[in-house]
Amino acid sequence: MSRIYDPLKGISNPSARPSMLALCDASRRTVLRSGFGAAAAALFAPWVAGCATPATAARLGFKGVPASRADAVTVPEGYVAEVITRWGDPVGIAGAMPAWREDAGNTAAEQALQFGMHHDGMQFYPLAGSSTHGLLAMNHEYTDDGLLHPDGLTPWTADKVKKAQTAVGLSVCEVRFEQGRWQVQRPSRHARRTTMATPFAVGGPAAGHRLMQTAADPAGRTVLGTLANCASGRTPWGTYLSGEENFQFLFSGGDSPTPDQRRWGLVRSGWYRWGDHDERFDTRRNPNEFNRFGWVVELDPEDPTSTPVKRTALGRAVHEGAWVAVTRDGRAVVYSGEDARFEYIYKFVSRDRIAPGGAKANAELLDHGTLYVARFDADGSGRWLPMAQGQGPLTAANGFADQGEVVIRSRQAADLLGATPMDRAEWLAVSQSTGEVYCTLTNNERRGRPGQRGVDAANPRANNTFGHIIRWQEDGDFDGQTMRWNHLVLAGDPAQERPEARGTIRGDLFACPDGLAFDPAGRLWICTDMGPRAMNQGEMARIGNNQMLACDVATGEVRRFLTGPVNCEVTGPAFTPDGRTLFVNIQHPGETPGERNDPADPRKVSNWPDFSPGGRPRSATLAIRRLDGGVVGT
């Protein structure tokens, strides 16, 4: 999630829903799930080992670090955090490795071969099962044009749009632990970048749909690029899933957007002004281009020649990301949420079982299945509402002539079904062994305001500036249509005068939970993303910079593990299979409140990580280890 993309520009869900006034019982217990069948356990053992959580979660074995306002990364005693990639470093494509220019003078062609701006969701893929050699796949959420170009937006040109379009997308690089540290391998046959010029296939019910067809792509089956990518997930068959988040701010809608476009938050003039020089992003000229973003994309990181795919069966949304669980009979269940105020949480259940043979054997697995949206009821129960054309209100008479329209207009479908509008669903984390699913809800200061929705059981605080984490247990298996839910924690500061700001934290204070991941031993890792408007002031004066914390889900204890540089977001946690290395992304150090950085003074807010007298702040990837070689977090 980013502040530039932050939906402060308006709420696009106007549908009225009654408030649920009863608060959930925080002491409600969840029931542990039995394990996989023997066949499924054998098939998915390597993946389960990387994501499963023991029934008794591992304790926290490190000394917590204090809150910080420094322009630096801090980790506990006995740990080291080393930068291994930065925005502008070459990804490692043979014969095409342009060096970084600290004056931002790299061309668009050079940027297309380098790591993009604002690293976010990231996953580690071991090569040959190794915990010391593998691939990192990551996405690049958005651009700060005040840093990307030597003279910022003035003048705004077609060349600058082209460069911005090469600074977003996905990156794959090869990494190895050697000579006592992690290093990017250059060149590497695995190295890859996708940009806004990269063809993506369209899979699922929206492929070829009339609402996906454009003059440039009359078949409606190939989209150039992916953008606004935020969180990420790793599939059991070895692919990378990334959500296209606040894509609407890349488009210009003019003065008269359609009702459908308004429901998706289309603005008059795109924040990034791509439409000034690329008519794809002017909906008055190309209205259907808008429908071709907002999907979960799937990429095979081990095959740089493969075509990535937009998986439309998972629904169109302001997708934070996508995370996979596996049913006892071997089917994939994909959870996702929308990082937008008063929007929804979804899950998709595949029709078919996961096949042995990796990515190629499962090339169409996510194109067939059933999409659901969540309703959280006041008594701590919940229900998954099927989003199937012809069922309930999803009929042609209501604007849903086929399943393609259901997935393209998934927000409108969820409105009709009566799903629960949430406080900005961010990352999810699935415990394959216990069956619990956790979701961060980062904040929603508009809840409870006059004319806005009131509190409900799942979103219990008005003016929810601090955010919270919800969790649920499916009834039966991951494909169950009912669940029981409660809150893991309400973030806050108990010293605050306002009751809604005090929270229920047991341990170190934090605000605005965002990134979320289990380590191999069962600790839950929480990353935060406070915006620069709120950080270190007002109710958040005691919180410090954004940070990463570990949580013992058995006791609820939370302990601060890492603090980031000024105005950064901490994101993208990914572990090696042995748990001895934690990769973390530091996104947008030096971000300014709702504005771009000043190209005349790029180091005004931050100069991390290079601290070069002539440089600028750069998003970067950290490799974090214990100095004694032990397991991170113990």
Side-chain angles (χ1 to χ4, degrees):
M1 179 203 68
S2 75
R3 218 74 43 234
I4 302 287
Y5 278 131
D6 194 313
L8 283 171
K9 295 180 180 293
I11 297 170
S12 58
N13 187 353
S15 62
R17 283 186 50 76
S19 295
M20 296 180 289
L21 300 179
L23 300 183
C24 76
D25 178 3
S27 65
R28 184 181 298 114
R29 300 294 182 182
T30 54
V31 180
L32 297 183
R33 164 188 310 280
S34 62
F36 275 69
L43 177 60
F44 306 121
W47 174 77
V48 172
C51 70
T53 307
T56 302
R59 298 294 185 257
L60 310 180
F62 59 90
K63 181 180 179 182
V65 300
S68 170
R69 297 188 178 188
D71 194 26
V73 169
T74 303
V75 291
E77 297 175 8
Y79 285 81
V80 61
E82 297 172 316
V83 173
I84 62 170
T85 74
R86 304 167 176 83
W87 158 47
D89 290 344
V91 294
I93 297 171
M97 294 187 285
W100 158 255
R101 291 183 55 177
E102 65 178 18
D103 66 351
N106 288 107
T107 65
E110 290 172 333
Q111 176 64 80
L113 302 168
Q114 300 168 324
F115 287 95
M117 287 194 97
H118 298 344
H119 307 12
D120 205 333
M122 174 171 57
Q123 300 292 328
F124 177 78
Y125 297 82
L127 292 175
S130 174
S131 286
T132 58
H133 183 206
L135 306 178
L136 285 177
M138 70 182 73
N139 59 44
H140 306 286
E141 187 175 4
Y142 69 100
T143 59
D144 179 339
D145 293 298
L147 297 176
L148 183 62
H149 315 290
D151 53 356
L153 279 81
T154 306
W156 188 236
T157 66
D159 285 342
K160 289 180 179 179
V161 171
K162 185 174 182 180
K163 184 178 180 182
Q165 292 178 343
T166 63
V168 298
L170 313 177
S171 292
V172 178
C173 68
E174 182 179 351
V175 293
R176 186 188 295 271
F177 185 74
E178 56 187 5
Q179 299 179 355
R181 63 169 296 152
W182 284 91
Q183 301 180 54
V184 175
Q185 304 296 290
R186 300 185 180 95
S188 167
R189 66 182 182 88
H190 296 288
R192 184 178 190 181
R193 276 296 322 278
T194 78
T195 70
M196 290 305 297
T198 303
F200 280 68
V202 181
H209 196 279
R210 62 178 179 81
L211 295 176
M212 298 285 283
Q213 296 169 359
T214 65
D217 176 30
R221 294 182 178 273
T222 303
V223 180
L224 293 182
T226 185
L227 50 75
N229 304 84
C230 202
S232 63
R234 179 168 61 96
T235 70
W237 52 95
T239 59
Y240 175 83
L241 299 179
S242 178
E244 295 179 331
E245 199 192 46
N246 287 297
F247 64 93
Q248 67 274 26
F249 297 127
L250 278 297
F251 287 84
S252 296
D255 294 323
S256 303
T258 68
D260 271 356
Q261 291 170 341
R262 286 197 298 270
R263 179 63 186 85
W264 288 91
L266 180 63
V267 295
R268 182 181 185 278
S269 179
W271 173 260
Y272 296 91
R273 296 176 57 191
W274 286 8
D276 291 5
H277 296 287
D278 185 347
E279 66 177 25
R280 289 176 64 196
F281 297 93
D282 185 336
T283 61
R284 294 162 295 187
R285 298 180 179 182
N286 289 286
N288 280 357
E289 191 71 26
F290 189 66
N291 299 331
R292 291 151 62 90
F293 296 91
W295 305 104
V296 172
V297 300
E298 182 176 18
L299 175 120
D300 180 359
E302 292 199 34
D303 183 1
T305 67
S306 62
T307 300
V309 183
K310 301 202 176 194
R311 298 298 183 189
T312 68
L314 278 60
R316 179 165 165 255
V318 174
H319 278 293
E320 179 71 16
W323 294 266
V324 181
V326 181
T327 62
R328 296 186 188 99
D329 65 359
R331 287 173 296 134
V333 177
V334 185
Y335 292 95
S336 64
E338 290 202 71
D339 179 12
R341 290 163 179 80
F342 305 117
E343 299 299 345
Y344 304 117
I345 293 174
Y346 302 88
K347 82 172 179 181
F348 168 85
V349 180
S350 70
R351 180 192 67 190
D352 303 321
R353 296 182 179 184
I354 301 170
K360 289 182 173 59
N362 295 280
E364 297 182 0
L365 181 72
L366 298 184
D367 290 339
H368 307 284
T370 303
L371 181 65
Y372 298 86
V373 65
R375 189 186 74 205
F376 294 90
D377 294 331
D379 62 357
S381 66
R383 180 169 293 277
W384 291 101
L385 310 170
M387 302 181 68
Q389 195 277 335
Q391 294 186 24
L394 304 185
T395 63
N398 287 326
F400 301 97
D402 50 45
Q403 189 63 21
E405 288 201 36
V406 172
V407 297
I408 291 170
R409 303 175 62 238
S410 54
R411 278 187 176 178
Q412 294 91 323
D415 293 343
L416 283 178
L417 289 169
T420 302
M422 306 298 287
D423 284 353
R424 297 182 61 191
E426 298 270 10
W427 291 56
L428 290 94
V430 181
S431 169
Q432 184 69 46
S433 60
T434 70
E436 291 177 321
V437 184
Y438 293 73
C439 178
T440 52
L441 296 157
T442 196
N443 59 52
N444 185 355
E445 80 288 350
R446 298 193 179 191
R447 187 168 296 271
R449 285 185 182 179
Q452 304 288 352
R453 290 176 179 79
V455 300
D456 59 44
N459 305 277
R461 294 189 289 183
N463 188 19
N464 180 17
T465 55
F466 278 88
H468 56 286
I469 300 176
I470 197 170
R471 60 183 171 183
W472 60 87
Q473 178 95 39
E474 306 283 14
D475 291 333
D477 205 344
F478 286 112
D479 63 344
Q481 295 191 30
T482 59
M483 61 178 161
R484 300 290 298 178
W485 65 269
N486 66 16
H487 293 114
L488 172 67
V489 63
L490 307 182
D493 180 350
Q496 293 304 312
E497 179 179 351
R498 187 169 66 93
E500 296 89 347
R502 294 172 187 163
T504 62
I505 294 174
R506 296 184 60 187
D508 291 331
L509 304 181
F510 69 94
C512 304
D514 192 339
L516 201 64
F518 280 112
D519 68 19
R523 284 169 288 265
L524 183 65
W525 295 81
I526 304 165
C527 301
T528 72
D529 185 21
M530 297 171 286
R533 292 186 182 91
M535 196 183 306
N536 293 316
Q537 53 193 303
E539 291 180 337
M540 297 183 186
R542 300 204 306 153
I543 304 297
N545 293 347
N546 278 311
Q547 55 203 260
M548 184 177 193
L549 310 98
C551 176
D552 178 347
V553 296
T555 65
E557 180 189 358
V558 177
R559 191 175 300 174
R560 189 180 298 108
F561 177 82
L562 175 151
T563 60
V566 172
N567 288 8
C568 80
E569 172 187 350
V570 180
T571 185
F575 289 87
T576 54
D578 62 5
R580 297 178 188 275
T581 299
L582 164 61
F583 297 101
V584 173
N585 278 331
I586 300 297
Q587 187 186 137
H588 59 64
E591 182 189 34
T592 57
E595 301 291 340
R596 298 170 175 89
N597 270 273
D598 181 358
D601 191 6
R603 297 169 294 282
K604 180 179 180 179
V605 181
S606 172
N607 200 15
W608 187 90
D610 298 339
F611 299 104
S612 169
R616 57 200 57 231
R618 302 165 71 185
S619 295
T621 301
L622 301 174
I624 302 171
R625 299 177 291 110
R626 276 177 48 165
L627 291 172
D628 64 3
V631 173
V632 172
T634 57

